Amino acid sequence: MSRHKDKVGDQGASTPGPPLKHTQQDPITVAIIGGSGQMGRWFQRFFTDQGLTVLTADVDTPQTSEEVAAQADVVMLSVPIPKVVAIIQDISPHLHPEAVLMDITSVKQRPLDAMLKAFPGEVVGTHPLFGP
């Protein structure tokens, strides 16, 4: 689910926001909060293999969630459900206005509501439908 909607007939359809202005010399930076877990490590490898710059933050990393979120074009939350709302509230003030905030948690309503409330930019609630 995305914040940007256009009307198509009687149904709303998600449309992408403005394109990111990046070149091959200026790759997209993805921050993975919870990057030391199995899903975080899998996505770190995947995004790195795609040529993206990946930053990670977790309880065992030198950079904080707020620090990596402030440097990222896309911020992915891969954290335990009980911590997701607090982390969203902590990092949201540090995000660039044109950033994308997304989660890969197994439940959607609370994380999505918290992201929409805390961050006025693009928000995506998703589930990868697989596990490493």
Side-chain angles (χ1 to χ4, degrees), residues 2-3 10 15 23 32-34 36-37 42 50 56 63 72 76 80 85 87 97 101 108-109 111 113 128-129:
S2 171
R3 183 185 306 276
D10 291 330
T15 59
T23 65
I32 303 174
I33 312 296
S36 296
W42 190 94
Q50 306 308 308
T56 59
Q63 287 190 298
M76 175 185 282
V85 171
I87 291 171
L101 177 60
K108 294 286 96 178
Q109 196 62 50
D113 288 345
L129 299 178

Side-chain angles (χ1 to χ4, degrees), residues 36-98:
S36 296
Q38 287 185 356
M39 290 298 288
R41 288 192 318 266
W42 190 94
F43 275 102
Q44 181 179 9
R45 286 188 304 273
F46 176 79
F47 290 138
T48 300
D49 289 347
Q50 306 308 308
L52 304 178
T53 301
V54 180
L55 307 171
T56 59
D58 212 319
V59 295
D60 61 350
T61 60
Q63 287 190 298
T64 67
S65 298
E66 293 88 347
E67 290 170 338
V68 298
Q71 300 174 59
D73 301 298
V74 177
V75 178
M76 175 185 282
L77 303 174
S78 178
V79 298
I81 298 294
K83 296 183 178 194
V84 73
V85 171
I87 291 171
I88 290 166
Q89 293 168 344
D90 290 345
I91 67 168
S92 291
H94 302 278
L95 298 173
H96 293 285
E98 65 278 355

Side-chain angles (χ1 to χ4, degrees), residues 1-3 88 101 111-121 123:
M1 171 172 244
S2 171
R3 183 185 306 276
I88 290 166
L101 177 60
L112 186 58
D113 288 345
M115 290 188 294
L116 289 168
K117 182 178 178 183
F119 181 58
V123 167

